[in-house]
């Protein structure tokens, strides 16, 4: 018994070391970011922060973007009657006005006469972060020289850090020698910053709420006295919110809806002003937690003789770890939820024994091969009756399916690569669902074409009927898809489909390192030709 207990704790320590090494290397950071994003909850927004938005309505009323600088000069002059605490102008006037030099001069003179400060943005190109978390850059995208020495003008960098998944979660507090744009806005407004000592390096952005939660005033309303008066003593961020101006980024709150850059800056200001902080738990604290999670699981298995009951107790203990992570997150300390859970889960699995979770080699190989290509019903049949499948290759009666997008080259020429991939992914998802729903096997995607077959690896007496149902289902789904595409202005899709039933060789084709489960023979060729002829 003592040997078993010792063995439990030895396994737990080994698992903890492996998990710690994974944490140290930064593995699973994408998943960690995803789960941390789910932990964000709405927070109050300071009433003093207001966004003056260059929105679609303002562009429609004032005129085509970019506007003459004189438009901004008039707006600043109007605000001078009821001065805000500061205006953070999130527009880089790096090029001369199309109206002429006098237009730039008019704006510069207007700003010099203001009773309130204006902060202008500078962008570091490219941004580099040193070991201390300070940003540095060789070049900067700056406003015109005429604005650089303005009496009421100061500057801050607007650089944000884009994670690999395309979400903005961090920003450098400084890019030498500039403060972050939002921090500079608060400083020149003489706002009191709580816990200023906690500011430094690369900081996590604590977003307050989804896009649109911070009060916005359309730019054109500045020219109405009531709206301008409401900005007195406010911290004003002025920038683009119109989707047409493409200054948007995804945030942890996005759920697919991007947030304008100026609103991200306003969120950073709200975070600093409200004292919201989110700092990662230290490395040693994480090591200790990972070790405790593994050892605690070992203790459960040592104290509870029934392994199944021990697993249940471990699951409840795992929930306790997760609730503690959530609690600390709300307090501003981000613990790595993935690796903490990895620690107790892997300890439990290792001690419990892989024999309770592993399956025989043949079923595992079959599942790996077919899980992405067949429906769940077909996969279950394969796993229940693996003798029906000959992986080496055999001749069977099958129905082969080909489909192809008509005029794909023309569509790709009219569409950006990013949009094309989005359209294709949506198209493939709908079409593939019809194949799998009707017990087909997805063979492969060939560019914009789809190849599938019925009748293998499991015999299907209704293979032709199922293939036809799938084809008709695709036609109906395509009609629905085209309605969606038409609404958002994307090109519509037309396809050709070829179906043919006959004998074919079915099996694994490829090399020792990589192979595909596919069909070959004249039946395949005829199906392909039918698809090509079907215009």
């Amino acid at each position: 018994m003592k040997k078993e207990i010792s063995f439990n704790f030895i396994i737990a320590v080994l698992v903890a070391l492996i998990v710690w090494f994974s944490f140290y290397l930064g593995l699973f950071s994408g998943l960690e970011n995803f789960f941390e994003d789910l932990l964000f909850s709405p927070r109050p927004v300071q009433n003093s922060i207001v966004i003056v938005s260059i929105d679609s309505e303002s562009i429609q009323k004032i005129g085509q973007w970019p506007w003459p600088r004189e438009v901004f000069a008039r707006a600043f002059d109007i605000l001078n009657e009821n001065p805000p605490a500061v205006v953070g102008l999130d527009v880089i006037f790096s090029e001369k006005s199309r109206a002429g030099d006098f237009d730039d001069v008019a704006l510069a003179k207007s700003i010099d006469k203001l009773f309130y400060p204006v902060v202008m943005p500078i962008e570091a190109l490219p941004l580099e972060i040193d070991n201390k978390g300070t940003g540095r850059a060789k070049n900067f995208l700056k406003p015109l020289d005429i604005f650089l020495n303005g009496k009421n003008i100061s500057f801050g960098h607007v650089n944000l850090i884009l994670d690999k998944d395309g979400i903005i979660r961090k920003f450098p507090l400084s890019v030498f020698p500039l403060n972050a744009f939002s921090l500079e806005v608060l400083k020149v407004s003489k706002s009191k910053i709580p816990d200023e000592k906690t500011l430094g390096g690369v900081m996590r952005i604590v977003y307050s709420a989804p896009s649109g939660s911070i009060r916005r005033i359309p730019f054109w309303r500045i020219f109405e006295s009531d709206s301008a008066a409401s900005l007195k003593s406010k911290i004003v961020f002025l920038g683009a919110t119109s989707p047409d101006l493409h200054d948007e980024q995804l945030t942890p709150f996005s759920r697919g809806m991007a947030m304008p850059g100026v609103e991200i800056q306003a969120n950073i200001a709200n975070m600093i002003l409200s004292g919201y902080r989110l700092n990662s738990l230290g490395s040693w604290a994480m090591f200790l937690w990972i070790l405790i999670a593994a050892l605690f699981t070992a203790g459960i298995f040592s104290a509870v003789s029934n392994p199944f009951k021990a697993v249940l107790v471990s699951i409840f203990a795992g929930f306790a770890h997760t609730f503690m992570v959530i609690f600390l997150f709300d307090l501003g300390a981000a613990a790595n939820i993935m690796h903490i859970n990895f620690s107790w889960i892997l300890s439990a699995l290792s001690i419990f024994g892989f024999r309770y979770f592993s399956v025989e080699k043949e079923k595992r190989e079959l599942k790996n091969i077919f899980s992405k290509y067949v429906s769940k019903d077909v996969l279950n049949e394969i796993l229940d009756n693996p003798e029906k499948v000959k992986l080496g290759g055999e001749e069977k009666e099958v129905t082969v399916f080909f489909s192809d997008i008509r005029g794909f080259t023309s569509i790709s020429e009219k569409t950006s690569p990013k949009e094309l991939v989005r359209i294709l992914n949506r198209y493939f998802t709908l079409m593939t669902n019809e194949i799998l729903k009707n017990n087909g096997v997805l063979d492969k995607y060939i560019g914009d074409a789809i190849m599938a077959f019925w009748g293998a690896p499991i015999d299907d007496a209704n293979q032709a009927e199922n293939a036809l149902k799938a084809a008709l289902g695709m036609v109906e789904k395509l009609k629905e898809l085209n309605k969606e595409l038409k609404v958002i202005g994307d090109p519509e899709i037309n396809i050709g489909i070829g179906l043919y039933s006959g004998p074919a060789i079915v099996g694994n084709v490829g090399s020792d390192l990589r192979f595909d489960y596919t069909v070959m023979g004249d039946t395949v060729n005829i199906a392909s030709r039918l698809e090509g002829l079907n215009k």
Side-chain angles (χ1 to χ4, degrees):
M1 184 66 179
K2 290 183 179 179
K3 286 184 178 181
E4 290 182 4
I5 294 175
S6 298
F7 185 69
N8 289 345
F9 283 97
I10 289 172
I11 289 178
V13 170
L14 290 175
V15 167
L17 291 174
I18 293 171
V19 172
W20 162 251
F21 188 62
S22 171
F23 169 77
Y24 179 77
L25 293 177
L27 302 181
F28 305 103
S29 58
L31 278 174
E32 178 63 25
N33 286 333
F34 171 77
F35 283 111
E36 284 188 0
D37 289 348
L38 298 178
L39 299 181
F40 275 94
S41 57
R43 298 170 181 261
V45 177
Q46 296 282 337
N47 292 328
S48 59
I49 297 176
V50 182
I51 296 172
V52 173
S53 60
I54 301 172
D55 56 2
S56 300
E57 183 182 5
S58 297
I59 293 174
Q60 185 178 8
K61 286 181 175 292
I62 296 174
Q64 182 180 3
W65 181 264
W67 296 328
R69 307 286 152 81
E70 180 268 340
V71 172
F72 292 95
R74 284 196 294 122
F76 285 144
D77 290 342
I78 292 172
L79 292 177
N80 216 22
E81 298 174 8
N82 295 280
V86 63
V87 171
L89 178 60
D90 191 16
V91 180
I92 301 179
F93 295 128
S94 59
E95 298 180 356
K96 291 185 177 182
S97 171
R98 295 185 301 178
D101 292 343
F102 73 91
D103 196 31
D104 295 317
V105 172
L107 177 57
K109 288 182 177 180
S110 173
I111 294 176
D112 282 343
K113 294 185 295 183
L114 298 180
F115 300 141
Y116 56 90
V118 173
V119 179
M120 284 189 168
I122 292 178
E123 184 176 358
L125 299 171
L127 174 65
E128 298 177 355
I129 306 294
D130 62 22
N131 295 331
K132 296 181 180 179
T134 301
R136 298 184 182 276
K138 296 179 180 179
N139 298 298
F140 292 90
L141 181 63
K142 303 178 180 179
L144 296 170
D145 291 342
I146 195 172
F147 302 115
L148 294 180
N149 298 312
K151 185 173 67 175
N152 292 319
I153 299 177
S154 59
F155 302 92
H157 79 83
V158 288
N159 291 81
L160 304 169
I161 297 176
L162 186 68
D163 286 338
K164 292 180 179 179
D165 58 359
I167 294 178
I168 297 291
R169 297 185 179 90
K170 301 175 183 176
F171 75 103
L173 193 68
S174 66
V175 174
F176 184 82
L178 300 167
N179 286 325
F181 181 75
S182 297
L183 177 61
E184 185 67 18
V185 166
L186 295 179
K187 282 185 174 294
V188 300
S189 71
K190 298 180 180 179
S191 298
K192 185 177 180 180
I193 300 174
D195 302 325
E196 189 167 358
K197 293 181 180 179
T198 63
L199 301 176
V202 174
M203 297 191 67
R204 291 285 295 270
I205 303 174
V206 184
Y207 291 92
S208 296
S211 180
S213 300
I214 297 179
R215 181 190 169 200
R216 294 185 189 181
I217 295 178
F219 183 93
W220 71 271
R221 290 189 179 276
I222 293 297
F223 302 106
E224 297 182 354
S225 58
D226 292 343
S227 295
S230 69
L231 296 176
K232 185 176 181 179
S233 301
K234 300 293 186 182
I235 298 170
V236 176
F237 285 86
L238 195 163
T241 62
S242 172
D244 294 336
L245 300 185
H246 305 293
D247 184 20
E248 296 177 313
Q249 299 286 352
L250 295 176
T251 73
F253 269 116
S254 286
R255 308 295 187 266
M257 181 180 177
M259 179 179 288
V262 67
E263 190 170 7
I264 294 177
Q265 297 294 340
N267 267 274
I268 294 173
N270 183 68
M271 156 194 154
I272 295 173
L273 197 58
S274 303
Y276 303 147
R277 304 291 184 268
L278 184 58
N279 299 310
S280 297
L281 213 60
S283 297
W284 284 109
M286 275 301 305
F287 174 74
L288 186 61
W289 196 339
I290 288 171
L291 183 61
I292 289 174
L295 292 177
F296 191 73
T297 302
I300 292 172
F301 275 87
S302 299
V304 180
S305 58
N306 187 313
F308 291 99
K309 290 182 179 180
V311 168
L312 290 176
V313 176
S314 296
I315 291 173
F316 283 111
F319 282 125
H321 288 298
T322 302
F323 286 132
M324 180 60 70
V325 170
I326 296 172
F327 177 73
L328 290 175
F329 192 90
D330 286 337
L331 294 179
N336 193 293
I337 189 171
M338 289 295 298
H339 287 88
I340 290 170
N341 280 289
F342 280 160
S343 185
W344 72 264
I345 290 173
L346 291 179
S347 294
L349 289 175
S350 300
I351 297 170
F352 183 81
F354 289 106
R355 68 184 183 274
Y356 292 98
F357 293 95
S358 63
V359 295
E360 9 353 319
K361 181 180 179 181
E362 184 178 7
K363 283 190 176 182
R364 187 165 62 250
E365 290 177 349
L366 289 172
K367 190 170 184 178
N368 288 336
I369 293 171
F370 291 111
S371 61
K372 297 180 181 179
Y373 304 99
V374 300
S375 66
K376 291 182 180 180
D377 293 338
V378 174
L379 181 57
N380 290 334
E381 178 69 16
I382 293 172
L383 295 177
D384 291 340
N385 302 285
E387 70 279 357
K388 293 184 178 181
V389 182
K390 295 182 180 179
L391 293 179
E394 60 177 330
E395 183 174 307
K396 300 196 73 167
E397 187 75 16
V398 297
T399 298
V400 180
F401 166 98
F402 278 94
S403 73
D404 182 71
I405 296 177
R406 300 308 187 207
F408 181 73
T409 301
S410 176
I411 293 174
S412 62
E413 289 174 349
K414 299 176 183 177
T415 313
S416 67
K418 183 178 180 180
E419 293 299 310
L420 184 63
V421 170
R422 176 183 60 78
I423 293 170
L424 280 179
N425 285 343
R426 175 66 173 152
Y427 165 74
F428 282 142
T429 299
L430 293 174
M431 300 301 105
T432 303
N433 286 343
E434 291 300 313
I435 293 171
L436 300 184
K437 186 171 72 175
N438 290 281
N439 295 327
V441 177
L442 174 64
D443 189 300
K444 60 178 70 73
Y445 300 120
I446 312 167
D448 60 309
I450 301 174
M451 178 182 173
F453 57 88
W454 281 257
I458 301 300
D459 293 334
D460 183 359
N462 300 315
Q463 57 177 270
E465 182 179 351
N466 289 334
L468 195 56
K469 285 181 179 179
L472 293 173
M474 289 180 183
V475 172
E476 293 303 315
K477 290 294 182 182
L478 188 62
K479 292 178 182 178
E480 298 176 10
L481 175 61
N482 278 329
K483 289 180 181 178
E484 295 178 15
L485 296 176
K486 186 176 181 181
V487 169
I488 60 179
D490 287 329
E492 295 185 15
I493 294 174
N494 293 308
I495 65 173
I497 295 175
L499 287 171
Y500 189 75
S501 297
I505 301 299
V506 185
N508 287 322
V509 176
S511 67
D512 292 338
L513 299 177
R514 185 183 178 93
F515 55 83
D516 288 322
Y517 185 79
T518 187
V519 293
M520 296 182 299
D522 286 341
T523 297
V524 179
N525 297 332
I526 295 172
S528 178
R529 288 172 187 149
L530 286 173
E531 180 273 316
L533 292 171
N534 181 12
K535 298 296 185 181

